[in-house]
Amino acid sequence: MIALLVISALSAWPQEEVSLERKFKAGERLEYSVDCSLHMEYKGSGMQFYMPQEFDVSYRFTTQVQTLLHDGFAQVVYERPSMTFTDGENASSPPRTTVEKTAWKFQLDLSPINEITKAKDLNPQRPQGKGDDKSHWNHAGPGQEVTQEGTPDPLVPMIRELRGLALFLGNLDSSLDLNPKLPLDPVKVGSTWKKTVSFQPRKLADSDRQAMQRLDMTYRYDGLVQSDGKPVHRVTAMVDLDTDAAPWLNQIFGVKPDESDLAAVKLVLKTKIEFDLEPVTLTTLRAGAESNGEISITLAQNKDTPIYTEKLKGKSAMNLVKRS
């Protein structure tokens, strides 16, 4: 009842422009849990049925504000000690869980819109692990590379990137951990802004050629809502990718479409993430994410039947579990 009264009392405020700026508190330590799961179904040439495969990732991370800087910026220490990877049961092996010691520890300058403006690795001698690449999500996804043998080499990184996006895992700047990225300018309910999360081949305007172009996440401010009985600012983020990478691959190999055996390389991904932010400080309290994607490779000799198809369903959750 009290929460409803608070939302009602503030309901007129979000109709006007509001500045969504994070307010840091010196010394504050936040601990989060992140749980991600990816369900895959893949089928190669000659296969009658889709083969399922499950892949899960979980970890905890902390942020602690060391120093308040100018203009609302803060110096923060980010730590992620380990990550747990679970490959689900498949036809050839039982479930397998491994814990990787990542030992991430970075000193970050964070802006009031959750952008990293400076980063320093405080543990450069940490051991190599599956999640140990701060600039790019380096794990292929499920425990084995299941793409069709003979898949063009330039396509493999794009498939890995798509799986990483479906899992909502990436570098510190694009993963759930330090999200959402907030807008520079004041917004109203329904206002949108964008942030680049990846690069994928896409058709150039007014041209038959393709190039690697930015793939943006579109954020939308949904105003004050009730979540778990409390008022929160709700921000929704979406990615919508639907492209055919075959023309780009033909360009890479220097062949014309009628000379290439590649008919189509479809890359599709649709994601949605909901962020709940504390009304006053804009601290992220919770994030829930879902994604659906598909990868399909078709050759010119048989355009009716792809030689490889992969369907992806991702789900992730991030929750603030401790504050001190």
Side-chain angles (χ1 to χ4, degrees), residues 11 25 41 75 99 126 130 133 140 161 207 233 272 289 306:
S11 61
K25 181 180 178 182
E41 293 181 343
Q75 191 174 85
V99 178
R126 64 188 183 280
K130 288 183 180 179
D133 186 340
E161 183 77 5
S207 172
H233 287 292
K272 181 180 179 180

Side-chain angles (χ1 to χ4, degrees), residues 17-303:
E17 287 192 335
V18 56
S19 294
L20 297 179
E21 293 185 351
R22 178 89 176 268
K23 295 176 176 61
F24 298 99
K25 181 180 178 182
E28 184 174 58
R29 184 179 184 274
L30 305 175
E31 181 177 347
Y32 290 88
S33 64
V34 178
D35 297 283
C36 311
S37 64
L38 180 65
H39 175 78
M40 287 177 50
E41 293 181 343
Y42 63 93
K43 182 170 71 171
S45 59
M47 295 176 62
Q48 298 299 314
F49 306 99
Y50 281 94
M51 292 292 293
Q53 193 168 5
E54 303 282 346
F55 181 70
D56 298 325
V57 182
S58 63
Y59 60 90
R60 290 204 174 197
F61 73 90
T62 62
T63 61
Q64 183 158 13
V65 179
Q66 286 188 316
T67 308
L68 298 179
L69 305 175
H70 59 85
D71 298 327
F73 284 63
Q75 191 174 85
V76 175
V77 172
Y78 171 99
E79 294 188 70
R80 187 194 298 180
S82 64
M83 299 176 71
T84 300
F85 298 86
T86 302
D87 289 292
E89 181 179 8
N90 57 46
S92 59
S93 64
R96 182 180 60 194
T97 297
T98 58
V99 178
E100 296 284 345
K101 183 180 179 182
T102 49
W104 284 17
K105 188 173 184 179
F106 297 98
Q107 181 179 282
L108 309 172
D109 284 5
L110 284 182
S111 76
I113 60 172
N114 284 332
E115 292 281 9
I116 300 172
T117 60
K118 186 178 179 181
K120 179 182 179 181
D121 192 342
L122 299 179
N123 188 14
Q125 301 304 316
R126 64 188 183 280
Q128 286 294 113
K130 288 183 180 179
D132 195 14
D133 186 340
K134 65 178 180 295
S135 63
H136 183 76
W137 174 246
N138 197 36
H139 191 60
Q144 57 182 320
E145 207 45 90
V146 296
T147 46
Q148 181 74 14
E149 184 178 353
T151 297
D153 288 342
L155 182 59
V156 174
M158 288 188 286
I159 292 176
R160 289 178 175 176
E161 183 77 5
L162 206 66
R163 290 172 180 167
L165 288 171
L167 269 171
F168 306 98
L169 293 170
N171 57 38
L172 287 184
D173 200 39
S174 62
S175 64
L176 289 178
D177 301 16
L178 301 177
N179 254 297
K181 305 306 178 189
L182 299 173
L184 283 169
D185 302 316
V187 294
K188 295 181 179 180
V189 173
S191 294
T192 62
W193 60 98
K194 295 183 178 182
K195 168 71 177 179
T196 299
V197 293
S198 180
F199 288 84
Q200 293 287 348
R202 306 174 95 173
K203 186 176 182 294
L204 293 169
D206 302 321
S207 172
D208 291 331
R209 295 182 62 81
Q210 285 193 338
M212 294 298 285
Q213 300 183 57
R214 54 185 281 180
L215 176 62
D216 291 335
M217 179 171 284
T218 300
Y219 295 88
R220 184 186 68 221
Y221 178 54
D222 294 334
L224 277 171
V225 302
Q226 187 180 21
S227 179
D228 294 330
K230 299 178 182 179
V232 297
H233 287 292
R234 171 70 53 80
V235 172
T236 300
M238 288 165 284
V239 171
D240 191 346
L241 171 69
D242 190 344
T243 189
D244 181 359
W248 180 78
L249 290 167
N250 288 335
Q251 291 169 204
I252 291 294
F253 292 116
V255 296
K256 296 179 181 179
D258 57 359
E259 299 172 336
S260 170
D261 197 29
L262 271 181
V265 178
K266 295 286 189 179
L267 303 175
V268 177
L269 181 69
K270 298 183 184 299
T271 71
K272 181 180 179 180
I273 312 173
E274 288 186 346
F275 296 96
D276 288 346
L277 313 179
E278 197 173 55
V280 177
T281 66
L282 275 296
T283 299
T284 303
L285 302 174
R286 182 198 70 87
E290 293 186 355
S291 67
N292 287 277
E294 184 170 336
I295 301 159
S296 177
I297 305 172
T298 306
L299 300 182
Q301 57 188 275
N302 187 0
K303 294 183 179 181

